[in-house]
Amino acid sequence: MTTAPAGATIDAAGLRQRVADVVAAHDPATTDPAELLAARFDAGLAWVHFPEGEGGLGAPRALQSVVDAEFERLGATPAGREKLIIGLGMAAPTILAFGTPEQRRRYLKPLYVGEEVWCQLFSEPGAGSDLAALGTRAVRDGEEWVVDGQKVWTSLAHRARWAILVTRTDPDVPKHQGMTYFICDMRAPGVEVRPLRQLTGEAEFNEVYLTDVRIPDSQRLGAVGEGWRVAQTTLMNERVSIGGTAEPREGGLIGIAAGIWRSRPEARTPGLHDALMRLWVEAEAARLTKERLRQQLAIGQPGPEGSAAKLAFARLNQEIAGLEVELLGAEGLTYDDWTLRRPERVGMEARGAGYRYLRSRGNSIEGGTSEILRNIIAERVLGLPGDIRVDKDVAWKDLPK
Ligand SMILES: Cc1cc2nc3c(=O)[nH]c(=O)nc-3n(C[C@H](O)[C@H](O)[C@H](O)COP(=O)(O)OP(=O)(O)OC[C@H]3O[C@@H](n4cnc5c(N)ncnc54)[C@H](O)[C@@H]3O)c2cc1C
């Protein structure tokens, strides 16, 4: 006889009770945050829609918001989890979708608790928007794969224990085929991480060189040659993760700009007033769209709506950051700190207007450029004709490099 998963019957009240039990047994005021998170994972309250024993209860995804709100209400939401963005936002849903039971058991809990940081080894010098052009080779050698190549713009690689990695395993077939997805040990011999300094002066990301890196076949995610399909799951979740975070009304950058408007009457001009009003309304519309996206996500996987949310997020951030600099006049042109730092989070709100202006330039590049997102919306949402693809049926090795 099989036992039905707890989540098949659990409702919001049952989940609130589970949260209360975890918090009662692990007082947030005195318990180490990692211990509290481990208890939350074990109680199936990390991601309620994940299977039992893997951080979930097999419950409807829509109920996650009940759990999150209840932990928040009880003061049991640990801060400082920004360095886990790739693990939580991209690796976990991919491991859930394509991982073997052993892989899910091995990676999900340390990832959730925050013991192990993840990074994403996707982009290469010749493969960014066109990720399927990538050339990092993985060649099978018995029960292992030998990986050689270079990745770039790898956020958090200097902190990461593990990486999600896409490689080329068959150069003789067209570029979208012949790719294979792995979990790469960032401590393995042959992995070299070098900082890359950004426009802001910080180095959030890195170049990563992979030289004869040996990866056991047990760390393959999905079938050989199926890497593109696995990567699509990661990328769809990435867009939501970057652009889909719900904020309160007047939260984020628009709140900062409105605050300056209110507190500095001397900075006001009719033109700036019009600009602020327009951006305020757009930010509110984007907030409500994100809320709708969140509700859609509760009942299924992210679709192209995530691309629209990420596109709007990037454009608004850049325009609002520009308005803030204008509002502040000469003061807006100053910059607080050019020292090379290795931050764990993008401190948009914690830093000054100059930082926000410069860092927001990256918003329209990271996680897929705005041009590419417009292509996705045009093709997959509006049904417009696709980009002309001359390389569709050509083996990857025969493409001009
Ligand atoms: C802050 C930051 C963090 C990042 N973190 C990571 C990370 O952790 N891991 C990782 O793997 N990558 C990361 N990236 C890389 C990011 O995903 C790539 O930079 C991005 O996909 C663009 O690729 P590219 O830089 O090679 O630009 P290209 O692909 O060379 O594009 C150059 C320009 O051409 C445009 N373009 C290209 N193709 C088309 C087309 N078909 N139609 C219209 N326009 C087109 C692009 O939109 C862009 O404006 C990060 C980037 C940034 C800025």
Side-chain angles (χ1 to χ4, degrees):
M1 194 183 87
T2 52
T3 321
T9 50
I10 203 156
D11 60 5
L15 283 171
R16 284 196 195 95
Q17 186 56 53
R18 267 184 182 250
V19 174
D21 293 344
V22 170
V23 174
H26 303 85
D27 179 359
T30 51
T31 310
D32 174 46
E35 198 186 310
L36 179 57
L37 286 164
R40 181 171 168 170
F41 184 96
D42 292 340
L45 300 171
W47 306 278
V48 292
H49 59 292
F50 278 37
E52 277 189 81
E54 293 167 9
L57 294 166
R61 190 173 176 155
L63 291 173
Q64 184 66 41
S65 56
V66 174
V67 171
D68 294 344
E70 194 62 5
F71 274 111
E72 181 95 47
R73 194 181 70 78
L74 296 173
T77 303
R81 287 169 67 71
E82 293 83 3
K83 64 178 183 294
L84 307 180
I85 178 168
I86 291 169
L88 293 170
M90 295 125 196
T94 314
I95 293 170
L96 174 70
F98 292 95
T100 60
E102 293 72 35
Q103 288 171 334
R104 300 206 295 249
R105 261 196 301 280
R106 165 61 188 88
Y107 298 112
L108 290 176
K109 187 168 176 182
L111 178 160
Y112 182 77
V113 171
E115 278 166 17
E116 293 180 345
V117 176
W118 286 66
C119 68
Q120 182 176 347
L121 293 172
F122 279 25
S123 302
E124 297 184 9
S129 301
D130 188 8
L131 177 63
L134 63 82
T136 290
R137 285 287 299 271
V139 177
R140 190 154 190 162
D141 181 19
E143 279 309 293
E144 291 183 325
W145 294 81
V146 183
V147 178
D148 284 279
Q150 185 199 342
K151 298 287 177 176
V152 74
W153 323 128
T154 318
S155 309
L156 289 162
H158 53 293
R159 295 291 318 267
R161 171 72 179 84
W162 299 103
I164 39 179
L165 165 71
V166 202
T167 64
R168 179 143 321 270
T169 42
D170 186 353
D172 295 322
V173 293
K175 63 181 183 179
H176 289 88
Q177 302 162 28
M179 293 161 72
T180 302
Y181 198 117
F182 294 98
I183 292 170
C184 174
D185 183 348
M186 292 298 286
R187 294 183 193 158
V191 177
E192 190 196 340
V193 177
R194 298 184 196 162
L196 267 181
R197 202 166 185 204
Q198 288 155 257
L199 186 65
T200 55
E202 298 186 327
E204 290 164 49
F205 52 33
N206 305 270
E207 300 179 291
V208 179
Y209 292 83
L210 304 161
T211 312
D212 291 337
V213 177
R214 300 191 84 85
I215 301 184
D217 189 54
S218 59
Q219 284 171 214
R220 174 166 46 80
L221 211 49
V224 175
E226 288 281 300
W228 182 248
R229 199 159 73 86
V230 186
Q232 285 309 303
T233 297
T234 312
L235 295 177
M236 282 205 283
N237 281 285
E238 176 174 35
R239 282 162 204 150
V240 175
S241 180
I242 294 180
T245 314
E247 270 164 357
R249 177 182 270 202
E250 232 186 73
L253 299 200
I254 194 66
I256 297 174
I260 296 171
W261 177 267
R262 290 192 189 103
S263 63
R264 299 194 186 200
E266 73 282 2
R268 296 176 193 167
T269 67
L272 289 175
H273 181 253
D274 283 354
L276 179 66
M277 287 309 291
R278 182 177 63 79
L279 291 173
W280 195 95
V281 170
E282 285 187 30
E284 182 59 6
R287 183 183 75 79
L288 294 171
T289 308
K290 276 188 212 170
E291 179 55 29
R292 197 175 61 187
L293 173 66
R294 201 183 59 73
Q295 289 173 12
Q296 273 170 345
L297 267 180
I299 49 170
Q301 288 296 317
E305 306 85 5
S307 300
K310 201 261 161 178
L311 180 65
F313 155 84
R315 188 181 58 76
L316 268 171
N317 262 8
Q318 292 175 354
E319 288 195 24
I320 298 169
L323 175 69
E324 187 191 349
V325 168
E326 274 196 70
L327 274 168
L328 291 173
E331 185 191 328
L333 299 177
T334 58
Y335 197 69
D336 54 357
D337 188 356
W338 281 109
T339 40
L340 176 95
R341 293 196 282 176
R342 311 275 287 143
E344 284 183 351
R345 64 184 299 261
V346 180
M348 280 290 203
E349 287 162 48
R351 298 278 300 275
Y355 174 85
R356 281 189 278 280
Y357 182 79
L358 295 179
R359 182 59 184 81
S360 62
R361 302 304 107 186
N363 291 156
S364 56
I365 305 172
E366 60 196 323
T369 66
S370 293
E371 290 81 4
I372 295 299
L373 298 181
R374 283 192 193 95
N375 277 354
I376 293 173
I377 294 164
E379 292 172 24
R380 298 197 209 153
V381 180
L382 303 176
L384 298 175
D387 249 359
I388 297 165
R389 285 171 51 195
V390 287
D391 53 6
K392 201 165 176 241
D393 300 314
V394 183
W396 176 84
K397 67 175 174 26
D398 297 327
L399 294 175
K401 308 274 184 319

